[in-house]
Amino acid sequence: MTPIGNFRALREFHDKSAPPMIPTPTIYLKDLMFIEDGNGDWWDGENKTILNLQKINLLGKVINKIQDAQQIPYQLVPLTVVQDYLQNAKCLSVDELNQRSHKVEPSDGN
């Protein structure tokens, strides 16, 4: 999935997918940013008497897409093997992590 064509392939995938799904933040944040930056809050500029309802409508459409994707919860089944593994996994200390890091990528002495 590339940004070519404004993430067209990813957008099509999202449109075809049925919930539950995790919305891809990249495309939705980009849409929200362009709507916010490209549309004024007011139709009449400095007078600020006529609210730009078209902008609010565009923002609402993007937010609704995100919410629609989250309406149906995942039906996850607990896997005791995975839960046991994660609960009993060894956590390395900061010193152990640093030692392993220096083995893989030795410092240049600076």
Side-chain angles (χ1 to χ4, degrees):
M1 304 286 173
T2 65
I4 296 171
N6 198 17
F7 293 99
R8 181 176 46 246
L10 186 57
R11 289 174 187 279
E12 289 172 1
F13 178 76
H14 271 269
D15 290 341
K16 293 176 187 174
S17 299
M21 61 186 249
I22 300 172
T24 305
T26 308
I27 58 176
Y28 296 113
L29 288 175
K30 184 177 180 181
D31 290 348
L32 291 170
M33 181 186 71
F34 278 106
I35 292 168
E36 179 64 30
D37 291 347
N39 298 281
D41 293 334
W42 305 96
W43 273 111
D44 56 350
E46 295 297 320
N47 292 335
K48 295 186 179 181
T49 56
I50 303 172
L51 192 60
N52 186 351
L53 295 178
Q54 183 179 7
K55 176 180 178 178
I56 294 170
N57 187 37
L58 291 170
L59 291 170
K61 286 180 181 180
V62 174
I63 293 168
N64 280 337
K65 283 184 180 181
I66 296 168
Q67 289 177 331
D68 288 346
Q70 299 172 328
Q71 289 302 310
I72 300 172
Y74 284 96
Q75 301 298 319
L76 300 176
V77 177
L79 299 172
T80 55
V81 175
V82 175
Q83 290 175 334
D84 291 342
Y85 175 79
L86 292 173
Q87 289 174 348
N88 297 317
K90 179 185 175 195
C91 294
L92 299 176
S93 70
V94 173
D95 291 334
E96 291 171 311
L97 291 170
N98 279 329
Q99 288 173 357
R100 289 185 182 200
S101 173
H102 288 294
K103 280 184 185 177
V104 175
E105 207 173 302
S107 105
D108 60 2
N110 290 332

